[in-house]
Amino acid sequence: AQSVTQLGSHVSVSEGALVLLRCNYSSSVPPYLFWYVQYPNQGLQLLLKYTSAATLVKGINDFEAEFKKSETSFHLTKPSAHMSDAAEYFCAVTYYNQGGKLIFGQGTELSVKP
Amino acid sequence: DAGITQSPRYKITETGRQVTLMCHQTWSHSYMFWYRQDLGHGLRLIYYSAAADITDKGEVPDGYVVSRSKTENFPLTLESATRSQTSVYFCASRADGSGNTIYFGEGSWLTVV
């Protein structure tokens, strides 16, 4: 079955440190991959997406992610964490014949320490 | 630029009552979705719709009913609410040819007591 795994339900970093949130998907067909961010009591906001173009994808707020087919991964990174980055992050996948139905990972809560 | 609006945003209801969560989008997107978000489960698809009058079940459809008589509206009804349906519900939509980008509403917080 197709699935998404986010390693680590909670990640804590210091302000200014590198942010790395891990996402792996399982599928033998080419995926479309997404990262969404959710701030408390709000909806999901798209950070970035991979749709079979460049493997290194840049998103909003200096986030980026790299699609690695050999590792079936789509890890999210940011060079320097800000306090405002504290939120829940979701990785999601869909495929060309799925009508846009997303399969979500369980989410990673990012905490940023001053 | 309203996008997707959900109502009510917050609701408390009693077990056994019928509840309808409304979803309205202003983009005329073909596809619409309902997800529920629960701790430890991420978001799970309840129902989706590819166009007006076309709906289909997602991963967790039991206890829910949807309809889509107009492209812009996609209401979700809990026919007889149960405590296990206490959750945050998100409506979403996607346009054809949008690179599969899905846009989410702000969510409806439902508590069943």
Side-chain angles (χ1 to χ4, degrees), chain A residues 32 36 38 49 90 100 102 106, chain B residues 35 37 40 98 100-102:
Chain A
Y32 299 109
Y36 285 87
Q38 184 182 33
K49 66 179 181 180
F90 291 95
L102 289 172
Q106 293 184 340
Chain B
Y35 287 88
Q37 182 180 20
S98 69
N100 282 301
T101 299
I102 294 179

Side-chain angles (χ1 to χ4, degrees), chain A residues 101-104, chain B residues 33-38 40-48 56-66 74 76-79 82 84-90:
Chain A
K101 290 181 290 181
L102 289 172
I103 300 169
F104 282 87
Chain B
F33 309 85
W34 275 106
Y35 287 88
R36 61 178 288 174
Q37 182 180 20
D38 303 289
H41 291 281
L43 281 82
R44 293 178 292 175
L45 183 65
I46 305 171
Y47 269 95
Y48 68 101
D56 207 348
K57 296 178 180 179
E59 180 184 356
V60 288
D62 293 344
Y64 303 95
V65 174
V66 294
F74 192 39
L76 176 74
T77 297
L78 288 67
E79 294 185 296
T82 65
S84 65
Q85 293 178 308
T86 293
S87 186
V88 184
Y89 292 86
F90 288 98

Side-chain angles (χ1 to χ4, degrees), chain A residues 12-73:
Chain A
S12 182
V13 301
S14 298
E15 192 172 19
L18 171 72
V19 175
L20 171 60
L21 304 182
R22 301 178 186 274
C23 173
N24 289 87
Y25 67 94
S26 63
S27 173
S28 58
V29 299
Y32 299 109
L33 292 155
F34 304 81
W35 275 100
Y36 285 87
V37 60
Q38 184 182 33
Y39 298 102
N41 297 322
Q42 294 187 23
L44 278 72
Q45 179 183 1
L46 181 67
L47 273 178
L48 49 79
K49 66 179 181 180
Y50 167 77
T51 57
S52 75
T55 57
L56 182 61
V57 181
K58 295 187 182 298
I60 61 173
N61 299 335
D62 295 326
F63 281 96
E64 63 180 37
E66 185 173 9
F67 171 66
K68 292 187 177 181
K69 182 179 178 181
S70 61
E71 299 178 5
T72 60
S73 69

Side-chain angles (χ1 to χ4, degrees), chain B residues 2-20:
Chain B
I4 298 179
T5 54
Q6 294 184 229
S7 63
R9 293 291 315 279
Y10 302 92
K11 185 170 182 67
I12 300 174
T13 191
E14 294 178 339
T15 300
R17 289 192 177 270
Q18 184 179 83
V19 176
T20 296

